[in-house]
């Protein structure tokens, strides 16, 4: 018997929450061990650490010449691009990893960030470039439109910013 919202002809969607994966599943579970990219470990460690609020571990995955770009932040600092992370994590209720793609020198994660805010669910893609097993560039891609009202309400400190690599602090 169905309730009208269930579809008996389809299987339930798989759990894609990164928080619900075992350690062995987190190393690109769909890819046989001999074919796993060296990008898997640093990218997954970075992703998991960032959403735990562990800036030190996330930054430790970056390499020389690191750059970060998103609709709101441009940074050359391994830690500066994570300024304000605590505020974001304060409204994040969960993160569902949808897909991950790996090559030797690049990776892409696609995930949904569920928030306790008017934004709701933020569909996100994150493209990583790597050199010698270290993350050298991240492009975080999402529709920033739903965030504009929240950013305006937060004031000038929350507007688009650039990080000075010498001081690792954000400036408006």
């Amino acid at each position: 018997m169905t309730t009208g919202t269930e579809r008996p002809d389809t299987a339930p969607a798989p759990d894609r929450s990164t928080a619900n994966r075992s350690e062995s599943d987190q190393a690109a579970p769909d890819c046989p061990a001999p074919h796993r990219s060296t990008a898997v470990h640093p990218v997954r460690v970075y992703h998991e650490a960032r959403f735990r609020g562990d800036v030190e571990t996330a930054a430790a995955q970056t390499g020389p010449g690191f750059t970060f770009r998103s609709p709101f932040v441009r940074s050359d600092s391994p830690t500066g691009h994570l300024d304000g992370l605590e505020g974001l994590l304060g409204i994040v209720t969960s993160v569902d990893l949808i897909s991950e793609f790996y090559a030797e020198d690049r990776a892409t994660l696609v995930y949904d960030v569920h928030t306790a805010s008017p934004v709701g669910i933020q569909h996100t893609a994150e493209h990583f470039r790597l050199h010698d097993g270290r993350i050298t560039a991240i492009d975080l891609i999402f529709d920033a439109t739903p965030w504009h009202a929240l950013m305006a309400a937060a004031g000038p400190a929350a507007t688009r910013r650039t990080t000075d690599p010498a001081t690792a602090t954000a400036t408006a």
Side-chain angles (χ1 to χ4, degrees):
M1 182 172 151
T2 63
T3 63
T5 58
E6 299 169 303
R7 293 188 49 194
D9 59 331
T10 60
D15 177 11
R16 298 199 184 278
S17 169
T18 56
N20 294 326
R21 291 189 179 188
S22 69
E23 187 173 329
S24 61
D25 289 342
Q26 292 183 13
D30 300 331
C31 184
H35 301 288
R36 289 186 181 156
S37 164
T38 58
V40 172
H41 180 75
V43 168
R44 276 318 228 25
V45 168
Y46 174 90
H47 177 75
E48 296 291 332
R50 186 179 60 186
F51 282 107
R52 279 193 322 269
D54 184 350
V55 172
E56 184 178 331
T57 299
Q61 306 312 304
T62 65
F66 174 79
T67 61
F68 177 89
R69 182 176 60 165
S70 80
F72 294 114
V73 178
R74 302 245 189 281
S75 176
D76 295 331
S77 169
T79 57
H81 75 286
L82 297 169
D83 288 349
L85 181 62
E86 187 174 309
L88 174 65
L89 294 179
I91 63 169
V92 170
T93 59
S94 66
V95 176
D96 292 330
L97 186 60
I98 296 168
S99 187
E100 47 194 319
F101 301 94
Y102 296 95
E104 286 305 309
D105 63 348
R106 67 195 66 159
T108 301
L109 303 181
V110 177
Y111 52 91
D112 284 339
V113 178
H114 298 258
T115 70
S117 77
V119 171
I121 300 171
Q122 178 66 64
H123 196 61
T124 307
E126 193 166 20
H127 182 74
F128 298 82
R129 287 184 297 285
L130 296 95
H131 182 72
D132 290 335
R134 305 291 292 249
I135 299 168
T136 57
I138 299 173
D139 290 315
L140 187 65
I141 304 160
F142 61 91
D143 178 7
T145 305
W147 293 96
H148 289 281
L150 288 177
M151 301 299 280
T159 60
R160 182 180 307 270
R161 54 192 177 145
T162 306
T163 302
D164 176 358
T167 62
T169 59
T171 57

